[in-house]
């Protein structure tokens, strides 16, 4: 499993051109629009939501969608539309946190073992291989078993279980850099190991880190929602899409809107992030995106 | 060394198993709180009872002794007793294996039929309409929450149309969960078959087969598929390996009492030996099936055998 390191120097574009290039595909435009709406809804949830997401009996139990309650009401008479808006806050925040954990820890781990090489690298790779042998959801569940249930712990669990994958790619990318002249010359002028890692290797790895992050965000949102659906993530009464779906499962015969809208929100969020991420990875690194 | 290649491969998994079990043991050591209290499920107990229980569970020993005992027990398949049921974990797993296995096979069947059909259709006419539709829906596919799809299937086909039962042990209750799993398998499988087929169809021996006057079906079935089959088999084997550990999400959606839902319950009730046993079982099954796949390739394709030697 060798992933080509990106030709870093050619991939750094000024932000304006990067945005222009990213929006050069219809899928990415659609994704960006959906994502923008979701981010807007998440940020301004307190202003936009017609009701308090946790206030019960603002409408009849399991009431059908109407002009006052766009997405209907749940078992406790809470407004589903308001809960979905607040859910967007949680899902996006948790998704970003999860990806940040995987990226930071994975990048450091992969970079350091590749840089130190020798026995450290061999043991590190072996460990990564074993970790990758765990089905991702099982690893996340195992970590939740240790940390306990909750939205934050679920994010931590998904983040940690994503580390090996990131570390594997970063290690390969670092290996292609450590033999290059600029690293050799940094060594020659007596730069410390930490300095080489931080000032010479890390900047060159950043494009690939961004690519990995943009490709992972959708999956991270989906995985944390999955844990909540299983009862291992966000707990009631938190407005969380996975938890809302889990509650809606019981009443779908009488009130299908309790599961249709949270699922739709989750699907649109994950898809829009994936559409933008996919395109961004093409623009940033045409070669690596094939591995995504 | 002149050991036959397959014995070397089999011995090769020992360190992997050992490391995997060690990780499971190590991770579960981090659980905060006294395991004895968890084992007693919160019932108040005197110090004497607690001490007895601690001794019985071997928790009075130093951690490294516990670790060695754990490895020894795992190696002979002794997974300990569950906290809540007091039953041997291996028996509990065996009792819940059938629903998971049935679902795994059902999902695999749907996935293979759908994936192979779509993959061949797309691969034989790259950039045709099936291919375009399939490739552009790939991103939609990975973005769909499987539990949502499962619920929508239940709502439409179970509750509205009433074509299939949504609960029960019968084969008909297996249809919707199998489709839920199969849909997700089919996507990856179809893409692999497509690309493998596109590559093989340009090879010389396919042109030769065509020019011999063989029918198109025969060329695809006998000559092209045979050489395009290894990557898809790997994918299916690995997916199956994951599924026999229980399709955690799908079992939950369809309220099936398999290994996946047992794992969730074990985590929620903090039944550590059960969590440990289930994760050990799942990962071990995964490693063993991986090994079997590799041995299979070695038998099918002599080139692989010599490369590994």
């Amino acid at each position: 499993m060798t992933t080509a390191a990106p030709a870093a120097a050619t991939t750094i574009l000024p932000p304006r051109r990067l945005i222009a290039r990213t929006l050069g595909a219809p899928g990415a435009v659609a994704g960006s629009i959906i994502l923008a709406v979701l981010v807007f809804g998440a940020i301004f949830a307190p202003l936009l939501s017609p009701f308090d997401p946790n206030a019960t009996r603002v409408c009849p139990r399991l009431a059908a969608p109407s002009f006052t309650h766009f997405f209907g009401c749940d078992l406790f008479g809470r407004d589903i539309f308001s809960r979905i808006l607040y859910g967007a806050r949680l899902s996006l925040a948790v998704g970003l946190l999860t990806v940040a954990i995987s990226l930071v820890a994975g990048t450091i781990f992969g970079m350091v073992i590749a840089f130190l090489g020798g026995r450290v690298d061999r043991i590190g790779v072996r460990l990564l291989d074993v970790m990758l042998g765990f089905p991702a959801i099982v690893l996340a569940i195992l970590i939740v078993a240790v940390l306990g249930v909750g939205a934050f712990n679920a994010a931590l669990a998904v983040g940690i279980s994503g580390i090996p994958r990131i570390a594997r790619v970063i290690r390969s990318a670092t290996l292609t850099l450590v033999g290059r002249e600029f690293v050799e010359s940094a060594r020659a002028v007596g730069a410390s190991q930490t300095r080489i890692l931080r000032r010479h290797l890390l900047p060159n790895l950043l494009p690939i880190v961004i690519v990995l992050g943009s490709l992972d965000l959708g999956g991270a949102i989906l995985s944390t929602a999955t844990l909540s659906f299983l009862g291992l993530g966000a707990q009631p009464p938190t407005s969380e899409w996975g938890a809302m779906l889990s509650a809606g499962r019981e009443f779908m015969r009488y009130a299908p809107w309790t599961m249709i809208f949270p699922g739709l929100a989750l699907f649109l969020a994950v898809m829009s992030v994936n559409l933008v991420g996919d395109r961004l990875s093409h623009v940033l690194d045409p070669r690596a995106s094939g591995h995504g | 060394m002149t050991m036959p290649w397959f014995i070397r491969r089999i011995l090769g998994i020992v360190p992997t198993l050992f490391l995997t079990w060690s990780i499971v043991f190590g991770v579960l050591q981090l659980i905060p709180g006294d395991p004895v209290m968890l084992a007693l499920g919160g019932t108040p107990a005197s110090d004497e009872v607690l001490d007895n229980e601690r001794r019985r569970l071997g928790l009075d020993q130093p951690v490294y002794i516990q670790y060695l005992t754990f490895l020894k027990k795992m190696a002979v398949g002794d997974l300990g007793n569950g906290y809540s049921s007091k039953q041997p974990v291996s028996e509990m797993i065996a009792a819940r294996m059938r629903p998971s296995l049935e679902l795994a096979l059902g999902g695999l069947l749907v996935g293979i039929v759908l994936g192979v059909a779509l993959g061949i259709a797309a691969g034989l006419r790259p950039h045709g309409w099936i291919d375009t539709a399939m490739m552009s829906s790939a991103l939609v596919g990975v973005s769909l929450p499987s539990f949502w799809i499962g619920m929508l299937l239940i709502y439409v086909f179970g509750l509205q149309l009433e074509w299939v039962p949504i609960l029960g042990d019968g084969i008909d209750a297996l249809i919707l969960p199998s489709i839920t799993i199969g849909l997700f398998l089919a996507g990856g499988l179809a893409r692999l078959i497509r690309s493998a087929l596109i590559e093989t169809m340009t090879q010389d021996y396919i042109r030769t087969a065509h020019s011999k006057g063989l029918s198109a079906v025969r060329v695809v079935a006998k000559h092209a598929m045979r050489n395009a089959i290894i990557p898809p088999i790997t994918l299916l084997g690995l997916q199956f390996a994951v599924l026999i550990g229980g399709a955690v999400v799908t079992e939950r959606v369809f309220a099936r009492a398999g290994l996946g839902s047992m794992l969730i319950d074990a985590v929620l009730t903090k039944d550590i030996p059960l969590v440990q046993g289930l994760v050990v079982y799942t990962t071990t099954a995964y490693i063993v099936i991986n090994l079997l796949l590799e041995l299979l390739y070695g038998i099918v394709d002599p080139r692989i055998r010599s490369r590994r030697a």
Side-chain angles (χ1 to χ4, degrees):
Chain A
M1 204 172 88
T2 47
T3 303
T10 61
T11 54
I12 294 169
L13 292 170
R16 190 178 300 178
R17 285 202 45 212
L18 182 65
I19 294 171
R21 289 267 295 275
T22 305
L23 291 178
V29 174
S32 307
I33 293 173
I34 302 171
L35 191 59
V37 171
L38 281 168
V39 172
F40 184 81
I43 294 174
F44 297 105
L47 298 175
L48 293 171
S49 59
F51 298 93
D52 178 344
N54 291 322
T56 54
R57 283 185 266 170
V58 296
C59 50
R61 293 169 156 227
L62 302 177
S66 64
F67 279 111
T68 35
H69 302 285
F70 306 128
F71 293 168
C73 299
D74 70 5
L75 179 71
F76 301 102
R78 293 176 299 200
D79 181 55
I80 293 178
F81 179 71
S82 307
R83 290 179 66 70
I84 283 180
L85 275 181
Y86 276 86
R89 280 191 145 184
L90 193 63
S91 282
L92 293 175
V94 157
L96 288 172
L97 174 69
T98 304
V99 171
I101 294 168
S102 313
L103 284 184
V104 171
T107 302
I108 294 175
F109 191 88
M111 210 166 70
V112 169
I113 61 168
F115 180 67
L116 294 178
R119 186 182 290 176
V120 177
D121 187 44
R122 275 202 305 278
I123 296 174
V125 169
R126 184 81 213 191
L127 191 68
L128 290 178
D129 279 345
V130 171
M131 299 296 284
L132 287 168
F134 284 78
I137 185 92
V138 173
L139 190 55
I141 290 173
L142 184 66
I143 299 169
V144 169
V146 174
L147 299 172
V149 299
F152 181 74
N153 288 349
L156 214 54
V158 174
I160 295 172
S161 60
I163 295 174
R165 225 164 356 102
I166 305 284
R168 203 79 169 76
V169 180
I170 295 294
R171 174 189 168 268
S172 318
T174 312
L175 280 183
T176 64
L177 294 173
V178 282
R180 299 259 288 270
E181 295 88 352
F182 66 92
V183 180
E184 290 301 323
S185 38
R187 268 194 237 264
V189 298
S192 70
Q193 293 199 329
T194 4
R195 190 181 160 84
I196 296 178
L197 282 170
R198 236 188 30 213
R199 300 296 296 271
H200 298 275
L201 291 177
L202 188 59
N204 279 292
L205 291 169
L206 271 186
I208 202 170
V209 173
I210 297 173
V211 167
L212 289 172
S214 64
L215 291 174
D216 260 21
L217 182 58
I221 294 176
L222 193 54
S223 302
T224 43
T226 303
L227 286 181
S228 294
F229 172 78
L230 295 171
L232 303 175
Q235 299 294 308
T238 316
S239 308
E240 202 276 347
W241 296 337
M244 289 170 75
L245 273 160
S246 175
R249 195 179 83 93
E250 313 287 326
F251 307 105
M252 66 172 140
R253 184 186 293 266
Y254 316 103
W257 47 88
T258 54
M259 65 99 185
I260 288 175
F261 292 112
L264 195 61
L266 178 58
F267 166 56
L268 287 176
V270 177
M271 191 181 66
S272 63
V273 169
N274 279 343
L275 282 169
V276 176
D278 193 57
R279 178 66 191 164
L280 191 66
S281 67
H282 271 281
V283 173
L284 276 175
D285 181 19
R287 277 189 300 159
S289 57
H291 299 270
Chain B
M1 282 221 285
T2 51
M3 239 193 291
W5 63 277
F6 57 91
I7 298 204
R8 215 167 26 241
R9 293 297 313 154
I10 293 171
L11 289 179
I13 70 164
V14 173
T16 312
L17 282 175
F18 170 79
L19 263 172
T20 307
W21 295 344
S22 304
I23 288 175
V24 177
F25 179 84
V27 168
L28 288 175
Q29 285 299 304
L30 301 173
I31 290 187
D34 188 347
V36 176
M37 299 301 272
L38 293 175
L40 291 172
T43 22
S46 66
D47 285 350
E48 202 188 330
V49 174
L50 288 179
D51 281 346
N52 281 335
E53 192 66 12
R54 201 180 308 269
R55 209 163 311 125
R56 200 179 61 79
L57 294 169
L59 294 166
D60 55 337
Q61 304 283 335
V63 173
Y64 72 93
I65 300 275
Q66 290 183 40
Y67 172 60
L68 291 177
T69 322
F70 164 79
L71 286 182
K72 232 184 293 172
K73 284 187 165 178
M74 291 301 122
V76 296
D78 177 3
L79 303 176
N81 288 355
Y83 282 163
S84 40
S85 70
K86 313 283 186 219
Q87 304 284 316
V89 169
S90 47
E91 283 174 20
M92 293 170 74
I93 291 178
R96 296 282 279 267
M97 221 180 255
R98 219 190 76 175
S100 290
L101 211 57
E102 285 173 351
L103 185 54
L105 290 174
L108 218 54
L109 186 70
V110 175
I112 290 174
V113 171
L114 209 62
V116 169
L118 282 174
I120 292 182
L124 290 182
R125 283 203 176 57
H127 309 297
W129 68 270
I130 297 180
D131 187 33
T132 314
M134 202 182 84
M135 294 309 277
S136 49
S137 62
L139 246 159
V140 175
V142 297
S143 310
L144 280 171
S146 64
F147 44 101
W148 190 49
I149 292 301
M151 283 194 265
L152 292 176
L153 288 175
I154 293 179
Y155 182 69
V156 175
F157 297 104
L159 296 174
Q160 293 300 309
L161 301 172
E162 295 186 352
W163 286 357
V164 278
I166 52 171
L167 289 171
D169 293 329
I171 193 107
D172 42 1
L174 203 59
I175 296 173
L176 292 183
S178 299
I179 292 176
T180 309
I181 290 179
L183 279 178
F184 287 86
L185 277 182
L189 184 63
R191 263 189 295 171
L192 268 185
I193 290 182
R194 169 190 180 273
S195 55
L197 207 53
I198 290 176
E199 204 190 307
T200 358
M201 288 305 275
T202 59
Q203 302 286 320
D204 289 340
Y205 62 84
I206 298 294
R207 218 182 20 237
T208 312
H210 271 301
S211 53
K212 275 200 305 192
L214 294 181
S215 69
V217 174
R218 211 179 148 80
V219 172
V220 173
K222 285 216 68 169
H223 294 255
M225 275 315 282
R226 238 197 170 149
N227 283 286
I229 206 80
I230 282 198
I233 288 203
T234 310
L235 176 81
L236 288 175
L238 294 183
Q239 294 288 354
F240 182 70
V242 172
L243 285 174
I244 58 172
V248 182
V249 175
T250 312
E251 284 181 12
R252 210 64 174 176
V253 173
F254 291 91
R256 289 180 68 81
L259 295 172
S261 45
M262 185 152 90
L263 177 62
I264 304 297
D265 292 333
V267 169
L268 288 173
T269 56
K270 293 194 181 286
D271 194 333
I272 301 170
L274 190 53
V275 174
Q276 180 177 284
L278 280 165
V279 177
V280 163
Y281 161 77
T282 307
T283 46
T284 305
Y286 188 83
I287 293 167
V288 170
I289 289 184
N290 238 318
L291 171 74
L292 291 179
L293 282 173
E294 273 194 49
L295 294 180
L296 183 74
Y297 303 152
I299 293 165
V300 172
D301 186 345
R303 284 173 303 179
I304 292 177
R305 224 181 304 166
S306 54
R307 202 165 58 220
R308 307 268 151 138

